[in-house]
């Protein structure tokens, strides 16, 4: 089970500079290595453009930006390997100033990065510190990383909040030394709606699309010690790093090219409005027939508008949606824009949002109508289930007049809008796609 906790500076963030050397530093690797050049590079089915696919049989670290200081070592080793004859070797000691890491730079504008590799930690460090696997950076800011915590042997995710504080999630209870483990992590940087998924030995151990960070891009992935006195001996093999830009298409296994809303869903993915769900086999699903919740609809609309710069209020606008809610920023923005007013059913008549409530077709019409400035409506509705006194008559009529909806044609020549039906995710993509045709998104 996952466990979320915070530790003080005297705990996991401490460098234990004054600690005695409980573990003797390992000897440096031999300078001469015997590898197997020409061995086929590792492959991975995860979507994206491959930045690095390396089994280290070339005998060099040329694709990377290695950094060593003091007694740190970054090299190719033939001491052990997961496959073949060689692996990367990162060695740092408890000596002051000892650092050893290597980074994979990503193309400019990357919003989505995936990293996977086989790791064998043979020597850990002092208590109160950690041995890193992958660290994801946006510029000079480490936005999140995964590591083995020395004091407990836990496998831990650390996320950096916009204010610089950290949150920690334990994903695996014990990671043994001197054994190979397949570690993978996928990050889509999107501010307060950042998504991440982590796999340990090919099992998903963490997944969230509501992490809150300051970044909207990923610039590099680091392996090894980031700062001095982060002692470890780490062997890495079959390393793969991939990325996708904000305009990259996602391929959803449950939305084939013959699906009725294939074009609209693909457009929504290209526009950064949705990323879907990453499955254990690293494919993606869109889940087109699932009903969309009110908070998810707020996130879709906010992203549709280009995720505008916005600082949410310190005091919640809705009694049932506190500041630590998954889409607090997006819902607050929606309210500030007058797109939603919520419900007056909170304590003493305070407004509520009902975040998990479904979005019906009439409410969707109201959201889109208000999003586009609540234009004047001079025509009449053609839907026999939307009379002139219907609460959202004007909004639904505007939607139909602009061909954002056609409703259902009946055998008697009339049509229905079916305002009380919940909106599915595929229909949400279609509504936004058609809206964009007449009111292009920013």
């Amino acid at each position: 089970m996952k466990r979320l906790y915070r530790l003080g500076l005297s705990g996991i963030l401490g460098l234990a500079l004054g600690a005695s050397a409980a573990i003797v530093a390992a000897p440096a690797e031999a300078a001469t290595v015997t590898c197997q050049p020409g061995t086929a590079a590792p492959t991975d089915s995860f979507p994206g453009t491959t930045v690095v696919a390396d089994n280290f049989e070339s005998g060099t670290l040329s694709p990377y930006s290695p950094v060593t200081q003091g007694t740190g070592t970054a090299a190719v080793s033939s001491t052990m390997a997961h496959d073949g004859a060689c692996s990367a070797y990162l060695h740092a000691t408890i000596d002051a100033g000892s650092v050893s890491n290597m980074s994979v730079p990503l193309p400019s504008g990357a919003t989505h990065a995936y990293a996977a590799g086989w790791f064998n930690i043979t020597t850990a460090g002092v208590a109160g510190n950690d041995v890193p696997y992958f660290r994801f950076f946006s510029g000079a800011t480490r936005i999140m990383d995964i590591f083995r915590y020395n004091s407990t042997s836990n496998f831990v995710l650390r996320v950096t909040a916009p204010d610089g504080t950290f949150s920690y999630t334990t994903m695996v209870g014990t990671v043994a030394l001197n054994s190979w483990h397949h570690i993978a992590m996928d990050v889509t940087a999107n501010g307060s709606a950042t998504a991440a998924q982590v796999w340990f030995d090919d099992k998903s151990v963490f997944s969230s699309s509501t992490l809150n960070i300051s970044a909207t891009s990923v610039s590099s992935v680091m392996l090894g010690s980031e700062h001095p006195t982060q002692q470890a001996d780490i062997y890495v093999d079959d390393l793969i790093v991939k990325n996708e830009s904000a305009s990259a298409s996602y391929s959803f296994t449950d939305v084939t090219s013959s699906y009725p809303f294939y074009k609209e869903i693909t457009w929504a993915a290209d526009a950064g409005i949705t990323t879907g769900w990453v499955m254990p086999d690293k494919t993606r699903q869109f889940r087109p027939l699932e009903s969309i919740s009110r908070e998810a609809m707020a996130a879709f609309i906010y992203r549709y508008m280009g995720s505008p710069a916005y600082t949410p209020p310190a005091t919640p606008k809705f009694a049932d949606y506190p500041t630590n809610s998954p889409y607090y920023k997006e819902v607050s923005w929606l309210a500030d824009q007058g797109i939603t007013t919520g419900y007056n059913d909170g304590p003493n008549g305070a407004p509520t949002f009902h975040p998990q409530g479904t979005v019906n077709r009439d409410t969707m019409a109201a959201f889109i109508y208000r999003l586009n400035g609540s234009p004047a409506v001079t025509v009449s509705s053609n839907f026999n289930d939307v009379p002139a006194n219907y609460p959202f008559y004007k909004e639904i009529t505007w939607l139909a007049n602009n061909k954002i909806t056609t409703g259902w044609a009946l055998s008697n020549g009339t049509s229905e809008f079916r305002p009380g039906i919940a909106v599915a995710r595929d229909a949400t993509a279609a509504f936004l796609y058609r809206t964009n045709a007449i009111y292009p998104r920013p």
Side-chain angles (χ1 to χ4, degrees):
M1 180 178 291
K2 300 171 190 172
R3 182 171 76 252
L4 182 68
Y5 60 99
R6 289 184 180 271
L7 299 176
L9 290 174
S10 61
I12 197 168
L13 300 181
L15 298 183
L17 292 175
S20 61
I23 301 174
V24 178
E29 291 287 297
T32 302
V33 296
T34 302
C35 302
Q36 298 174 352
T39 304
T43 60
D44 193 301
S45 62
F46 200 87
T49 301
T50 299
V51 179
V52 163
D54 200 351
N55 52 25
F56 304 99
E57 299 299 336
S58 67
T60 71
L61 296 180
S62 58
Y64 312 99
S65 302
V67 174
T68 59
Q69 297 175 17
T71 54
T73 301
V76 172
S77 168
S78 55
T79 298
M80 65 173 62
H82 176 258
D83 284 316
C86 286
S87 64
Y89 172 64
L90 300 170
H91 167 69
T93 75
I94 61 170
D95 297 335
S98 183
V99 169
S100 171
N101 65 59
M102 62 187 201
S103 295
V104 180
L106 300 176
S108 176
T111 60
H112 177 199
Y114 169 79
W118 287 87
F119 288 79
N120 191 336
I121 300 172
T122 60
T123 304
V126 294
N129 221 308
D130 61 79
V131 179
Y133 293 104
F134 291 119
R135 290 181 160 159
F136 292 76
F137 283 81
S138 181
T141 302
R142 182 190 65 215
I143 56 176
M144 66 181 70
D145 62 330
I146 50 178
F147 57 81
R148 181 187 185 274
Y149 184 41
N150 293 331
S151 296
T152 59
S153 304
N154 294 159
F155 182 47
V156 179
L157 166 71
R158 170 170 45 193
V159 178
T160 306
D163 63 1
T165 59
F166 304 105
S167 62
Y168 300 86
T169 302
T170 294
M171 300 173 290
V172 175
T174 302
V175 180
L177 298 176
N178 294 294
S179 60
W180 287 99
H181 295 286
H182 194 213
I183 310 295
M185 186 171 183
D186 176 51
V187 176
T188 301
N190 188 28
S192 61
T194 290
Q197 189 163 359
V198 182
W199 296 264
F200 183 86
D201 286 342
D202 300 316
K203 294 181 180 179
S204 178
V205 293
F206 178 86
S207 181
S208 174
S209 60
T210 60
L211 301 178
N212 185 21
I213 65 173
S214 61
T216 56
S217 63
V218 187
S219 58
S220 65
V221 178
M222 177 189 287
L223 298 83
S225 59
E226 181 185 1
H227 49 69
T229 321
Q230 196 167 30
Q231 178 185 359
D233 283 286
I234 310 170
Y235 293 87
V236 185
D237 204 357
D238 292 332
L239 176 67
I240 294 175
V241 177
K242 297 184 177 183
N243 87 283
E244 289 177 313
S245 66
S247 61
S249 294
Y250 294 109
S251 176
F252 300 118
T253 58
D254 55 352
V255 181
T256 64
S257 60
S258 61
Y259 192 81
F261 294 119
Y262 172 79
K263 177 176 64 176
E264 293 86 344
I265 293 168
T266 301
W267 167 85
D270 285 352
I273 297 168
T274 182
T275 59
W277 284 266
V278 179
M279 306 308 293
D281 63 357
K282 300 172 187 175
T283 58
R284 287 180 181 270
Q285 289 184 353
F286 180 70
R287 302 179 186 175
L289 297 180
E290 283 192 9
S291 299
I292 191 165
S293 69
R294 286 171 56 83
E295 65 175 359
M297 187 67 232
F300 270 42
I301 292 176
Y302 178 77
R303 297 170 194 159
Y304 170 84
M305 294 302 292
S307 299
Y310 172 73
T311 301
T315 301
K317 294 179 176 293
F318 299 111
D320 60 346
Y321 214 65
T323 58
N324 62 348
S325 300
Y327 297 113
Y328 179 72
K329 179 179 180 179
E330 292 83 347
V331 170
S332 298
W333 177 85
L334 214 69
D336 271 356
Q337 298 297 311
I339 297 170
T340 183
T341 56
Y343 302 84
N344 293 319
D345 58 0
N348 300 316
T352 59
F353 184 66
H354 297 192
Q356 295 301 319
T358 56
V359 178
N360 290 342
R361 286 171 56 84
D362 56 0
T363 308
M364 173 69 77
F367 280 172
I368 294 176
Y369 175 76
R370 296 167 191 163
L371 173 66
N372 292 284
S374 300
V377 177
T378 58
V379 296
S380 300
S381 170
N382 292 321
F383 298 122
N384 59 20
D385 57 350
V386 182
N389 63 350
Y390 191 82
F392 295 115
Y393 174 83
K394 177 175 59 177
E395 292 85 345
I396 294 169
T397 301
W398 176 85
L399 216 68
N401 187 54
N402 285 281
K403 296 182 172 51
I404 298 171
T405 183
T406 57
W408 282 266
L410 304 180
S411 58
N412 62 4
T414 63
S415 60
E416 291 181 344
F417 180 70
R418 302 177 187 177
I421 293 179
V423 179
R425 286 169 55 85
D426 58 358
T428 301
F431 280 140
L432 293 176
Y433 176 83
R434 296 168 192 161
T435 301
N436 187 65
I438 57 170
Y439 292 95
R441 64 191 293 269

